[in-house]
Amino acid sequence: MVAHASLTARRLGIAPPARSDDLLDVLELFAFVRPARFCAPSPSGLALAMGMSEPRGAEAQAQALMDAADGLLRELADPAYPGREEAFTLAETLSRAGWSWASRVTGALAHQPIRDRAHRGTGLDAWSRLPEWEDEAPRGEAGSAPVDSESARIRLEKLLQASGLDETRPTQSDYAAEAAYAFSPRNEEGRPRVLLAEAGTGTGKTLGYLAPASLWAERNQGAAWVSTYTRALQRQIDRESAALWPDPAERKRKAVVRKGRENYLCLLNLQDMMQAGQLGNGDLIGMALASRWAMHCRDGDMTGGDYPGWLPGLFATAPSHQASAANLVDRRGECVHAACPHYRTCFVEKTIRASRRADLVVANHALVMTQAAFDGARSARGLKQDGETAALKRIVFDEGHHLFDAADSAFSACLSGQEAAELRRWLRGPEGRGRRGRGLEQRLGDLCADNAEATKALQDAVRAAAQLPGEGVSGRIAPASGEVNPIGPIERFLVAALEQLRARTSEASGPGGAEFGMECSLRPVTDPVLETAREAAKALADVEAPLLALSRHLEDILDDEAAELDGAARARIEGALRGLDRRARMTLPGWRSMLAALEVSSDEPDPDFLDWLSAEAAFGRITDVALRRHWIDPTVPLEAAVIMPSHGVLVTSATLSDPLSDDPFDMARLRTGSARLIEPARTLKVESPFDYATNTRVIVVNDLVKDDTRQTAAAMRELFLAAGGGGLGLFTAIRRLKAVYERLGPDLAKAGIPLYAQHVDPLEVGALVDVFRAERDSCLLGTDAVRDGVDVPGRSLRILAFDRVPWPRPDLLHKARRARFGGGPQARGFDDALARAKMAQAFGRLIRRADDKGVFVMLDAAAPTRLFASLPPGCEVLRMGLAEAVELVSGFLPADEAR
């Protein structure tokens, strides 16, 4: 009996096991008994989810597994267990599939009467039993009624009372009052009300901005959008919205978590994989449990919602057969919209419609920016905006310090082997045997059947797509043998680009290239790159032209046949146009523009863009080659597409200001797009209420050789042991993280302290953080994604150690931006500001409540004192040797007390 068989095997140094009658994973039982309910994937996580105390030590954890399994089976036997018939039907199917829990589950369910049925079914068809969405009349344009500061204070007080808190903190009340500015009506087009607000940890900024946001939504019959960078914060905001709408049914209507289409379960994909599993070509048990989740989930969100992300990887299952988000969401843009048999029950369609009626939409930066850019392009052509974000008038950007990076990702272009192969698949469908998917002809053929010109455009586009790279492109352009075999003009261009990369860099190490990738300036361009770029551009134009023609024909159908088209047909055409527009009017022109720029003879760089060549690598082999283009200042398109069209924007974070700048908000203005606004952005800084001088210690260990992973591992071991666990180790390189993990794990295990690691353990980051939060004495190693996604109040996080100063990586793009934003004598200040911000963000994870105690450790003796200026007042930097640091940690965080 185990909790997460694959992770347990990893701990024992053996291969992940296959399913077996002799191996019972209690997590699978939990997923069946309590679908769509949270559980951290560990014995402690199971115990806490079952309402038991946290088990300490191996024996207690083993007993906890027994007790959790016993408790879950007793739940099934309880007369009040809901959906008994449905559960029994599925359990019988799982019994025939060889599920190790099946006999126990059916026995527990049979403790209460089960109706005899001649034809019970399989219970696998969740798609046929989900409720359908219904259309509603348009809500209309939101009003312009203002939200005054005093009303925001009053609303905040009511929210705090609803949350069980007795009094309003003055700083939180002031924050809410100032945040109301972003919800006041603008007086001129293009002059939004923008507020940059730094709120120290513990201020309570979420309820602080929800107060004016909810008031504005009520008064104006519109949706206030809250955008975050991490999934963890999306979940947190959704939970805190319970103070606004305590009734779950009302909250489901009023607050909607909104993500990109690629995050939601596709019922057609589920049906396809379920059928394959029934034929023996997949993990039928995992699919069945995913189907059971679909029947009970909130909104079908598989990436950060209530789907147990640990479920697909419990046992040794081929990645292509797993019940994972990678297989069950529509990541390839292959949706057939209204032609799908499950269109009326589709989770994405339900969420889009719900967001149009909601008061609060909790989205993410990527969705807001990409959709705003798409809407802007459609508006420029005189077309109506997409309904998903047409109401983006009031936006709160929480985790606002990530806006720059989110914009950089959203408004960049990348012509690579993998990206081009993905476009080919979107057009032609899967071309290998046994692969799932639908090409453009399958999705649109019947729509064009009565229009000869549209049919020809469709066929021409599919035919031209044969020039694009197919699957296995990396093995042809960068094979291990070194004998390249490019097929088509794009692959020939990428081979020439890789030759230029190897010639211009000193990183190459044999035929495989650099161990961790390469990059080089595009200019001066070699002759082979220039020659193959012309052929590649022509191939892309051959694909683009018929796609544009097809798009125009579909637009004509919408106009000419408006009276005859039913709602489903119209929705299907509009969905197809969205996909065509993204590729034919955004992606392909962007790629051709980059290739065309190579023909320009001048070696003078474009002042707005940086173009360069790069190669990605893994395990010493090149996995992809790319031509890249990024805005040097991505806040230019951010301002144009998102900030300027809005009426009010609140950018908030615990780390926006830089204390060593003459104007602390200068960098924030530069990195949020507000520096160029006609009406200057207001600024606000609210200090944290925590007593950092008493509850924290900041240590720089000054007697380690930072490049020696043995010393780093030894230092983390002694520090984590001195704290009794609860340690988070942050690394700036995955290679060092893995090396430290291998040395650190066994030593901590001897002391009964579990160690988990990103890029090592078979769990995604969110699940790793869930385990770390649940097990108060565990330790976790990770990189930036862990630092940004950790919200662990209490003793589970009591010591945080950086392996070295998180300086920005000096790649070509960073150098160009440093020259733009911090050129000359300011260059050091630019790098300093970015490093200070990362350290401040990490420090903010350490203290989440007034009674938390924590130690912040930097294992880099060369860390300049000026980098610690961004930490809260009262944090004294102590420089000492490792032995002294261990003694300080042991005295400040006694292990006995921690346990």
Side-chain angles (χ1 to χ4, degrees):
M1 189 176 290
V2 297
H4 208 295
S6 181
L7 185 60
T8 304
R10 177 73 177 78
R11 292 274 173 273
L12 296 172
I14 60 177
R19 296 186 185 278
S20 163
D21 289 341
D22 300 324
L23 187 57
L24 297 164
D25 199 315
V26 186
L27 288 170
E28 275 195 334
L29 179 62
F30 186 93
F32 183 93
V33 178
R34 296 186 178 184
R37 300 269 293 278
F38 172 77
C39 176
S42 69
S44 296
L46 276 163
L48 293 171
M50 296 295 296
M52 304 184 304
S53 59
E54 181 186 351
R56 303 296 178 85
E59 290 185 4
Q61 291 182 355
Q63 184 61 51
L65 284 181
M66 298 283 287
D67 294 342
D70 179 68
L72 289 167
L73 292 172
R74 288 180 184 276
E75 280 187 34
L76 292 177
D78 191 304
Y81 187 75
R84 179 177 305 280
E85 296 284 338
E86 170 195 302
F88 187 82
T89 299
L90 183 60
E92 283 195 322
T93 300
L94 290 174
S95 178
R96 294 190 291 272
W99 189 36
S100 57
W101 284 107
S103 61
R104 297 166 176 85
V105 167
T106 54
L109 288 167
H111 269 71
Q112 305 300 323
I114 300 289
R115 284 182 295 171
D116 290 331
R117 292 184 178 180
H119 302 287
R120 185 174 289 278
T122 65
L124 299 173
D125 54 341
W127 48 85
S128 67
R129 290 174 286 140
L130 290 168
E132 296 186 350
W133 51 261
E134 295 181 356
D135 269 326
E136 296 186 54
R139 193 177 193 179
E141 184 79 15
S144 300
V147 176
D148 60 277
S149 297
E150 190 57 32
S151 296
R153 291 184 193 270
I154 295 171
R155 171 57 62 90
L156 174 62
E157 189 173 351
K158 291 180 179 178
L159 294 182
L160 292 170
Q161 290 172 355
S163 301
L165 301 173
D166 295 332
E167 60 182 27
T168 306
R169 285 165 281 182
T171 52
Q172 187 181 25
S173 182
D174 292 343
Y175 177 91
E178 291 293 329
Y181 172 73
F183 297 93
S184 58
R186 66 179 185 181
N187 295 326
E188 294 181 36
E189 184 181 9
R191 300 182 70 147
R193 302 299 179 94
V194 178
L195 174 66
L196 307 179
E198 177 175 291
T201 305
T203 302
K205 70 176 185 301
T206 303
L207 287 181
Y209 60 66
L210 286 182
S214 61
L215 271 174
W216 180 86
E218 287 177 13
R219 293 177 178 179
N220 295 287
Q221 299 299 299
W225 283 61
V226 177
S227 178
T228 77
Y229 189 70
T230 61
R231 295 167 183 163
L233 186 57
Q234 274 188 297
R235 292 197 299 267
Q236 178 187 325
I237 294 168
D238 181 47
R239 288 195 300 269
E240 296 205 31
S241 68
L244 283 163
W245 305 289
D247 177 47
E250 183 184 19
R251 182 157 62 100
K252 188 174 182 178
R253 293 194 308 272
K254 296 285 191 179
V256 174
V257 176
R258 185 73 184 90
K259 298 182 180 180
R261 194 173 276 270
E262 67 280 0
N263 292 278
Y264 296 92
L265 172 68
C266 170
L267 293 171
L268 190 56
N269 282 349
L270 176 64
Q271 183 180 16
D272 288 349
M273 295 223 33
M274 192 75 77
Q275 291 171 345
Q278 289 176 291
L279 295 174
N281 297 320
D283 179 15
L284 181 59
I285 294 171
M287 289 297 160
L289 293 173
S291 180
R292 183 157 170 78
W293 164 80
M295 285 296 301
H296 295 82
C297 68
R298 171 179 167 169
D299 57 9
D301 180 4
M302 296 193 74
T303 59
D306 51 19
Y307 182 72
W310 38 260
L311 180 62
L314 293 183
F315 292 96
T317 306
S320 60
H321 291 167
Q322 290 181 353
S324 64
N327 293 322
L328 293 176
V329 304
D330 175 27
R331 284 190 173 158
R332 302 181 184 277
E334 296 175 343
C335 180
V336 294
H337 301 281
C340 177
H342 312 308
Y343 180 65
R344 300 291 303 187
T345 54
C346 174
F347 287 115
V348 176
E349 296 297 328
K350 287 178 182 176
T351 306
I352 291 173
R353 283 161 176 76
S355 68
R356 292 171 182 169
R357 308 292 302 180
D359 283 5
L360 179 70
V361 179
V362 185
N364 55 63
H365 297 350
L367 172 69
V368 169
M369 291 182 197
T370 55
Q371 193 62 38
F374 179 66
D375 278 351
R378 287 178 66 83
S379 295
R381 295 171 47 231
L383 300 175
K384 72 174 185 178
Q385 289 188 339
D386 191 302
E388 292 186 47
T389 54
L392 267 176
K393 303 303 180 188
R394 307 288 173 172
I395 316 171
V396 177
F397 284 112
D398 204 339
E399 297 180 305
H401 56 277
H402 283 299
L403 263 185
F404 189 92
D405 294 330
D408 185 36
S409 176
F411 299 111
S412 60
C414 171
L415 170 56
S416 71
Q418 297 299 332
E419 292 287 337
E422 198 63 46
L423 177 60
R424 173 175 173 144
R425 180 189 171 98
W426 184 81
L427 288 162
R428 296 177 64 89
E431 298 173 277
R433 292 183 59 188
R435 296 185 178 273
R436 297 180 302 109
R438 296 166 288 278
L440 200 60
E441 279 189 302
Q442 291 174 280
R443 301 197 300 275
L444 301 182
D446 59 321
L447 283 177
C448 304
D450 296 332
N451 187 313
E453 292 182 345
T455 299
K456 182 179 183 303
L458 174 60
Q459 293 172 344
D460 288 347
V462 173
R463 190 179 305 111
Q467 300 180 82
L468 300 174
E471 293 186 20
V473 56
S474 64
R476 294 189 294 275
I477 64 175
S481 65
E483 297 179 7
V484 299
N485 181 32
I487 300 176
I490 308 296
E491 291 189 16
R492 287 193 290 273
F493 167 74
L494 295 175
V495 167
L498 183 56
E499 290 174 354
Q500 177 171 325
L501 270 164
R502 286 175 169 150
R504 301 277 171 83
T505 62
S506 59
E507 311 292 335
S509 54
E515 183 180 1
F516 301 107
M518 299 178 284
E519 65 174 23
C520 76
S521 298
L522 187 58
R523 299 181 183 281
V525 185
T526 62
D527 289 340
V529 169
L530 190 58
E531 292 167 7
T532 55
R534 296 188 186 106
E535 298 176 17
K538 182 181 182 304
L540 295 176
D542 290 344
V543 177
E544 182 184 331
L547 286 181
L548 287 171
L550 177 59
S551 181
R552 288 191 293 268
H553 289 309
L554 291 178
E555 289 171 354
D556 290 342
I557 292 173
L558 282 180
D559 290 339
D560 300 341
E561 302 177 20
E564 293 83 15
L565 287 174
D566 59 22
R570 176 173 291 277
R572 188 177 169 200
I573 294 174
E574 289 177 345
L577 282 172
R578 284 195 293 270
L580 288 169
D581 280 354
R582 287 185 189 279
R583 291 159 180 86
R585 290 192 166 95
M586 297 176 75
T587 300
L588 284 165
W591 289 354
R592 287 198 305 105
S593 174
M594 289 192 290
L595 293 170
L598 299 178
E599 296 284 357
V600 180
S601 58
S602 171
D603 286 338
E604 287 296 320
D606 189 304
D608 295 322
F609 297 99
L610 180 70
D611 294 351
W612 77 98
L613 299 174
S614 71
E616 296 179 9
F619 307 107
R621 289 191 56 187
I622 298 295
T623 57
D624 204 4
V625 179
L627 170 61
R628 298 181 180 274
R629 166 171 286 183
H630 283 237
W631 284 85
I632 294 177
D633 183 0
T635 68
V636 172
L638 169 65
E639 179 197 16
V642 182
I643 307 294
M644 292 289 282
S646 66
H647 290 216
V649 178
L650 168 61
V651 181
T652 188
S653 167
T655 54
L656 278 183
S657 68
D658 183 10
L660 296 190
S661 174
D662 293 337
D663 182 339
F665 282 91
D666 262 355
M667 183 64 77
R669 291 189 185 92
L670 284 173
R671 293 177 66 82
T672 60
S674 58
R676 294 179 298 274
L677 292 176
I678 301 172
E679 186 165 327
R682 288 190 183 183
T683 60
L684 171 69
K685 183 170 182 176
V686 180
E687 298 289 355
S688 170
F690 296 152
D691 183 357
Y692 290 101
T694 301
N695 292 343
T696 64
R697 295 292 182 269
V698 180
I699 303 171
V700 176
V701 177
N702 58 15
D703 59 353
L704 300 179
V705 177
K706 70 178 181 181
D707 293 325
D708 188 339
T709 55
R710 293 175 302 174
Q711 291 193 34
T712 302
M716 286 193 177
R717 178 192 67 216
E718 296 305 319
L719 290 166
F720 291 171
L721 289 174
L728 175 62
L730 292 176
F731 292 79
T732 55
I734 297 172
R735 174 173 51 88
R736 290 198 300 274
L737 181 155
K738 291 181 175 180
V740 169
Y741 174 85
E742 294 299 329
R743 294 180 176 275
L744 190 57
D747 291 338
L748 291 184
K750 292 175 185 176
I753 297 176
L755 177 66
Y756 303 95
Q758 182 191 10
H759 304 294
V760 175
D761 287 315
L763 291 173
E764 54 95 20
V765 171
L768 283 173
V769 173
D770 289 339
V771 177
F772 181 57
R773 183 186 297 110
E775 298 182 357
R776 294 200 305 167
D777 295 331
S778 65
C779 294
L780 175 63
L781 306 182
T783 55
D784 281 356
V786 169
R787 183 198 70 222
D788 293 329
V790 169
D791 181 21
V792 184
R795 292 196 170 277
S796 292
L797 174 52
R798 50 190 179 268
I799 181 169
L800 185 151
F802 264 104
D803 77 319
R804 59 178 60 188
V805 172
W807 294 114
R809 184 167 173 260
D811 54 24
L812 291 172
L813 187 56
H814 175 73
K815 290 177 181 177
R817 287 174 175 160
R818 184 168 58 191
R820 169 71 60 87
F821 299 122
Q826 300 299 319
R828 191 186 79 171
F830 181 72
D831 285 351
D832 282 2
L834 297 181
R836 270 196 297 273
K838 288 187 177 182
M839 289 167 60
Q841 291 151 23
F843 185 88
R845 304 289 150 185
L846 192 58
I847 304 295
R848 309 299 287 175
R849 300 188 310 208
D851 59 349
D852 282 354
K853 294 182 72 174
V855 180
F856 181 97
V857 183
M858 176 64 70
L859 299 177
D860 186 346
T865 301
R866 65 181 184 274
L867 295 185
F868 295 89
S870 59
L871 302 189
C875 295
E876 180 186 359
V877 180
L878 306 172
R879 294 181 180 269
M880 59 185 69
L882 177 61
E884 190 178 354
V886 169
E887 184 178 353
L888 188 155
V889 170
S890 181
F892 187 67
L893 299 173
D896 291 341
E897 179 187 341
R899 288 174 182 274

